[in-house]
Amino acid sequence: VLFGRRNAAALRYSVELSHDLTHWEPVIEPPWVLAGDGLVEACFVPFPVQLSPDRPPRFLRIAVAPR
């Protein structure tokens, strides 16, 4: 999954996965930064990341919150 994130110290981005849209688990590994121009970074997270052997993820969201 590719996404853009602002290079702002005031924002925190976290990638989360779910198998049912109710229970969300954070991706522990940080996104890979592929490119950036000082304002925006192009980031990559491999999907699917296995949550557990019996619950493969089906959904991904990127939560943005103030630091």
Side-chain angles (χ1 to χ4, degrees), residues 1 14 18 36 38 47 49 58 64:
V1 174
S14 57
S18 174
F47 186 83
V49 175
R58 297 178 53 208
V64 181

Side-chain angles (χ1 to χ4, degrees), residues 3-66:
F3 67 96
R5 69 177 176 192
R6 291 186 57 191
N7 200 3
L11 298 176
R12 181 182 69 238
Y13 293 78
S14 57
V15 180
E16 301 172 334
L17 299 170
S18 174
H19 67 282
D20 62 2
L21 290 174
T22 301
H23 303 92
W24 292 91
E25 297 182 33
V27 173
I28 304 300
E29 184 177 328
W32 304 340
V33 177
L34 302 177
D37 65 2
L39 296 175
V40 178
E41 295 176 325
C43 299
F44 173 78
V45 174
F47 186 83
V49 175
Q50 192 70 11
L51 294 172
S52 66
D54 59 334
R55 294 182 309 160
R58 297 178 53 208
F59 307 99
L60 178 139
R61 71 179 179 187
I62 299 168
V64 181

